[in-house]
Amino acid sequence: MANSKTAFLAFLAVSFLCGLASATYKVGVGRADITGPPVEINFMGYANIKQVGRGIHTRVFARAFVVEDEKGNRVAFVSADAGMMGYGLKREVIKRLQARYGNLYHNDNVAISGTHTHGAPGGFLMHLLYDISILGFVPQTFEVMAQGLYLCIKRATDNLVDGRILLSKTTVLNVNINRSPSSYLRNPAEERAQYEHDTDKTLTQLRFVDLENNLLGAFNWYAVHATSMNNTNKLVTSDNVGYAALLLEKEYNPNKMPGKGKFVGAFCSSNLGDVSPNIMGPKCSISGNDCDLLTSRCPAGEGDCFASGPGKDMFESTQILGQRLADAALGLLNEQSQESTAREVTGDVRFIHQFVDMPNYNGSTYNPLTRKIDKVRGCQPAMGYSFAAGTTDGPGAFSFEQGTTTDNPMWNFVRDFIAAPTPEDIKCHEPKPILLATGRATFPYEWQPKIVSDQLLKIGDVIIAAVPCEFTTMAGRRLRNQIRAAASAVGGLDTEVIIAGLTNIYTSYTVTPEEYQAQRYEAASTIFGPHTHSIYMDVFERLTKALMRNETVDAGPSPPYMNDVMLSLNTGVLFDGHPINTDFGYVKAQPNKEYGINETVKVTYISGNPRNNLFTEKTYFTIERKINEDRWKVAYTDASWETKMVWHRTNTILGFSELDIYWDISPQTLPGEYRIRHSGEYKYILGGKYPYEGLTHSFAVKED
């Protein structure tokens, strides 16, 4: 009897402690609009100077979670629908947070990651190579992103409640392929044998709930490029992962417009460096034949080497893959308790961050082939010839080929005219032939970063490794294993390690030393040379050990402040005009009187330039459904997948422009009476901006 009583008391004690463990966090989630100027500004990602914005397909958002443990240790993580993150932006976000919260948020405990969409306005990175195809810095893009990133963290902070975090994982097939399989095969056979696939297929989810188990948000990490929308797209888009987020949020925010509602769902970037969503693989665009495996080139006359997705066009491919990702995340959230793979995250919150001067880094790493410690050092930033070849997601220009390991006197002459590499640079980067010696270029300011941001966020037994670039599949696997092993060796903790890509500052790619020898696009874009990955392995192992010991590390050299030297060739809006006998908001093309399911509505307005007002957190138009004689309800906005907004100049000299709005009527559309309302601003030739509005006549949507 005494033993039974002791056992019962022990059971109560354990239950009590488990209850305490499950309530040790404050958790909050938030979202904000970061849609930049949708027209006349180049998109960031493909570096295609012809990819100039003409409108909106979906708005882009920043999504944040904040976690605080019982001791008050706090971290904030943001996933932004952006190509990547720039340190100038993060510095500005921290500045705004500290103006409101003091030192509650700082560089060490805030991580901001980009989803890597290639369909959002650029001009925010503050390094010339990344902004040159955007024609320089774009203050309007920078400001709306800075405010949105700040606002999503503020909202997450305002929404903090006592809660719990659960981690779960699932396998998602038919969403990604390796776009550089010949490089992947350079990795040791025994290492490759440990993995079933040449890309990571695991979706990892952190679920945030309150103490009553009400769902607050879900953040999902999956390795795939957000390049289902190719370089011919000119409408702002969050691409495949952004569409997945919209679907996930729609499920838990019923009757809310996209970007609205309490539940926040995000799909975040991971080690996606060599991972493509174009799962049908690369083909020659004219002949349809397979491209050359090593160079990704096609024979003369057979076209460019393009990879395509599973849909009939890029929009359908985006939709298909986004749906597959959303279904996987929903599957985890909807698991019944008895079959759930989710486990609770428990433990304290910690963080560590260090700036590292990569070109001047001298370290060491264990070489498994020789079983010796190798000395490693970084190189001055440089891009190789294969960088100019582009990828099968977006081929480059001229006659450059992937896999190039020899240089060309003509291109070397062009390179040296801009900035010549030293003999030491050339030796350091071998076998990469240097096309752009970006580390030696200083006019008008720094071309690529030399100082990188390395960061770890620990939430219980989950460690988020915030990396400042695009790690390839095997590069990410090695880093995860290294961090996991270091955490176990020092802290005795079995951890789940998540790679958060394109975080805090952008420095292109990181491949394994073996993949570097192949010199495909990803290797040519590994800017600090063949030991780049080894340096990251060294740094993150050291940071992990310091994190587990609760030690502080030297902050490292801060990146230069360049806000005052930004170059921009983008002009503002001079003025807007309209034809005689019309006005701004005039409906030039009215809708038909009646439409059926799967038909498309198109209307045209006389408009001002959308750059006059970005309608942040609002919308350029609404599609409204009649409820009764006195009430119309908004059914769709410019953030809805079913709509598109396309703007075009009709007379540049007189400042005339028009705005087309398209609405694809889906089978889920309720029948009824509809109308379309457009809101905008025009810029008067003598100064000032003034609002206008246009409204179509009503039309019917009939059932099939």
Side-chain angles (χ1 to χ4, degrees):
M1 180 68 76
N3 288 339
S4 297
K5 184 176 180 180
T6 302
F8 178 68
L9 290 173
F11 171 77
L12 288 178
V14 170
S15 299
F16 176 73
L17 290 173
C18 288
L20 286 179
S22 66
T24 55
Y25 297 123
K26 287 188 179 295
V27 296
V29 294
R31 180 197 316 103
D33 185 3
I34 56 169
T35 307
V39 303
E40 298 185 318
I41 300 297
N42 293 69
F43 289 168
M44 179 61 208
Y46 288 113
N48 184 343
I49 201 165
K50 295 180 180 179
Q51 196 185 14
V52 182
R54 288 189 58 197
I56 294 176
H57 183 205
T58 60
R59 281 190 174 260
V60 290
F61 298 96
R63 298 171 171 91
F65 69 76
V66 171
V67 177
E68 182 180 282
D69 68 13
E70 58 187 355
K71 295 181 180 179
N73 299 313
R74 178 180 296 205
V75 294
F77 179 87
V78 180
S79 176
D81 290 331
M84 59 285 293
M85 194 43 53
Y87 183 67
L89 254 181
K90 181 180 178 181
R91 179 157 39 198
E92 180 62 26
V93 172
I94 298 297
K95 176 182 175 183
R96 297 182 188 197
L97 287 169
Q98 292 186 340
R100 183 176 183 87
Y101 298 108
N103 203 40
L104 184 62
Y105 295 107
H106 44 82
N107 196 61
D108 295 2
N109 70 348
V110 175
I112 308 176
S113 172
T115 62
H116 209 33
T117 177
H118 286 43
F124 58 88
L125 287 177
M126 295 187 165
H127 282 91
L128 189 69
L129 184 70
Y130 301 132
D131 282 348
I132 197 167
S133 64
I134 321 296
L135 302 182
F137 181 66
V138 182
Q140 198 174 27
T141 303
F142 185 91
E143 173 55 32
V144 73
M145 290 185 69
Q147 183 62 16
L149 292 166
Y150 156 76
L151 195 57
C152 74
I153 298 175
K154 176 186 178 298
R155 288 172 175 167
T157 304
D158 293 342
N159 293 333
L160 280 170
V161 296
D162 290 333
R164 301 161 55 227
I165 305 170
L166 295 99
L167 180 140
S168 53
K169 297 192 288 186
T170 188
T171 299
V172 188
L173 304 176
N174 299 319
V175 169
N176 64 18
I177 63 170
N178 196 305
R179 70 185 187 188
S180 288
S182 58
S183 291
Y184 180 85
L185 290 173
R186 294 275 189 135
N187 295 304
E190 60 272 21
E191 181 180 35
R192 289 184 279 111
Q194 300 172 35
Y195 304 96
E196 183 179 357
H197 303 285
D198 61 0
T199 61
D200 284 341
K201 306 291 185 181
T202 300
L203 182 144
T204 303
Q205 181 183 92
L206 287 182
R207 181 192 320 177
F208 302 91
V209 298
D210 65 18
L211 294 185
E212 296 179 352
N213 227 33
N214 296 309
L215 186 60
L216 305 175
F219 280 63
N220 306 272
W221 284 264
Y222 188 81
V224 66
H225 256 75
T227 51
S228 289
M229 300 294 290
N230 64 40
N231 62 16
T232 66
N233 168 56
K234 296 183 180 180
L235 301 181
V236 173
T237 175
S238 53
D239 213 286
N240 44 43
V241 290
Y243 180 59
L246 293 178
L247 289 174
L248 191 61
E249 291 179 335
K250 182 178 181 180
E251 183 73 18
Y252 292 102
N253 295 320
N255 303 316
K256 296 290 185 180
M257 290 299 103
K260 307 297 181 182
K262 292 183 178 180
F263 173 83
V264 176
F267 287 80
C268 318
S269 64
S270 191
N271 51 320
L272 51 68
D274 53 355
V275 186
S276 170
N278 295 308
I279 59 176
M280 304 310 291
K283 303 286 183 182
C284 298
S285 58
I286 296 176
S287 68
N289 294 327
D290 290 338
C291 309
D292 180 76
L293 182 65
L294 297 178
T295 65
S296 295
R297 298 287 293 182
C298 293
E302 294 194 23
D304 291 327
C305 179
F306 263 108
S308 60
K312 66 179 183 294
D313 58 28
M314 59 183 172
F315 293 98
E316 188 177 62
S317 292
T318 301
Q319 195 170 20
I320 291 170
L321 298 185
Q323 185 72 61
R324 290 173 182 172
L325 288 170
D327 287 346
L330 284 166
L332 293 175
L333 293 172
N334 292 332
E335 284 179 332
Q336 299 300 313
S337 58
Q338 62 267 27
E339 60 185 36
S340 176
T341 60
R343 65 168 181 81
E344 187 153 0
V345 176
T346 59
D348 64 356
V349 170
R350 302 181 192 180
F351 47 83
I352 196 166
H353 177 278
Q354 188 172 57
F355 290 116
V356 176
D357 183 349
M358 292 293 281
N360 292 312
Y361 189 89
N362 290 283
S364 59
T365 187
Y366 176 72
N367 187 329
L369 298 178
T370 63
R371 298 183 180 180
K372 295 180 179 179
I373 300 297
D374 289 346
K375 297 292 184 181
V376 294
R377 59 178 292 255
C379 308
Q380 288 291 328
M383 304 295 277
Y385 272 57
S386 296
F387 152 74
T391 72
T392 54
D393 292 334
F398 305 105
S399 58
F400 292 101
E401 295 182 353
Q402 294 204 56
T404 299
T405 55
T406 57
D407 58 8
N408 176 290
M410 182 191 76
W411 288 115
N412 285 353
F413 175 79
V414 174
R415 173 199 70 194
D416 293 349
F417 179 78
I418 298 170
T422 66
E424 183 183 6
D425 294 338
I426 294 171
K427 179 68 175 175
C428 188
H429 279 276
E430 287 180 349
K432 176 202 292 180
I434 296 175
L435 180 65
L436 290 172
T438 52
R440 300 298 176 184
T442 58
F443 179 80
Y445 44 85
E446 200 171 68
W447 280 44
Q448 282 183 302
K450 297 178 182 178
I451 296 169
V452 305
S453 165
D454 295 330
Q455 183 181 31
L456 295 170
L457 305 181
K458 176 185 174 295
I459 304 170
D461 55 359
V462 175
I463 294 178
I464 299 174
V467 299
C469 52
E470 303 174 53
F471 271 56
T472 57
T473 299
M474 194 62 84
R477 288 170 174 171
R478 290 183 189 176
L479 184 63
R480 278 199 299 264
N481 292 339
Q482 181 92 329
I483 292 171
R484 189 180 297 116
S488 177
V490 174
L493 186 65
D494 184 17
T495 57
E496 182 69 36
V497 180
I498 297 171
I499 303 290
L502 305 114
T503 303
N504 296 334
I505 193 169
Y506 184 61
T507 59
S508 294
Y509 285 74
T510 292
V511 299
T512 67
E514 295 89 343
E515 291 166 350
Y516 190 88
Q517 302 305 307
Q519 276 304 298
R520 282 180 59 83
Y521 175 85
E522 296 83 12
S525 303
T526 296
I527 67 175
F528 301 115
H531 299 304
T532 301
H533 183 258
S534 300
I535 293 173
Y536 282 126
M537 294 280 279
D538 194 33
V539 171
F540 276 99
E541 179 183 26
R542 178 168 45 79
L543 290 179
T544 302
K545 291 178 178 179
L547 178 75
M548 299 309 296
R549 292 171 178 145
N550 250 335
E551 297 173 347
T552 59
V553 295
D554 179 67
S558 183
Y561 185 88
M562 300 190 296
N563 296 49
D564 298 332
V565 295
M566 291 294 99
L567 172 71
S568 180
L569 300 178
N570 292 286
T571 59
V573 179
L574 298 178
F575 66 92
D576 292 299
H578 60 78
I580 298 174
N581 299 324
T582 67
D583 202 351
F584 295 106
Y586 172 76
V587 184
K588 182 178 178 181
Q590 290 278 2
N592 299 335
K593 292 183 178 180
E594 184 178 300
Y595 293 89
I597 300 300
N598 294 324
E599 292 188 318
T600 299
V601 181
K602 179 189 176 186
V603 297
T604 303
Y605 296 87
I606 302 299
S607 75
N609 193 310
R611 287 197 287 156
N612 292 328
N613 186 330
L614 301 184
F615 284 83
T616 306
E617 302 275 324
K618 300 176 184 176
T619 178
Y620 285 103
F621 64 87
T622 54
I623 298 174
E624 304 167 4
R625 182 173 178 269
K626 189 174 184 179
I627 305 301
N628 54 47
E629 288 302 319
D630 301 317
R631 183 178 169 220
W632 292 75
K633 182 179 180 181
V634 174
Y636 301 93
T637 69
D638 64 9
S640 301
W641 174 265
E642 296 85 351
T643 66
K644 297 182 183 74
M645 181 188 92
V646 181
W647 177 86
H648 49 95
R649 283 278 185 205
T650 56
N651 188 313
T652 302
I653 295 175
L654 298 178
F656 295 177
S657 61
E658 295 176 0
L659 189 79
D660 298 329
I661 295 172
Y662 298 83
W663 174 32
D664 295 329
I665 302 173
S666 71
Q668 290 74 40
T669 303
L670 294 174
E673 187 177 350
Y674 288 83
R675 66 187 185 186
I676 301 177
R677 184 189 307 272
H678 163 52
S679 302
E681 283 192 0
Y682 69 90
K683 188 171 184 179
Y684 187 45
I685 193 169
L686 297 180
K689 297 177 184 177
Y690 301 92
Y692 69 87
E693 187 172 275
L695 186 66
T696 68
H697 63 57
S698 63
F699 57 95
V701 173
K702 299 293 187 181
E703 291 182 285
D704 279 349

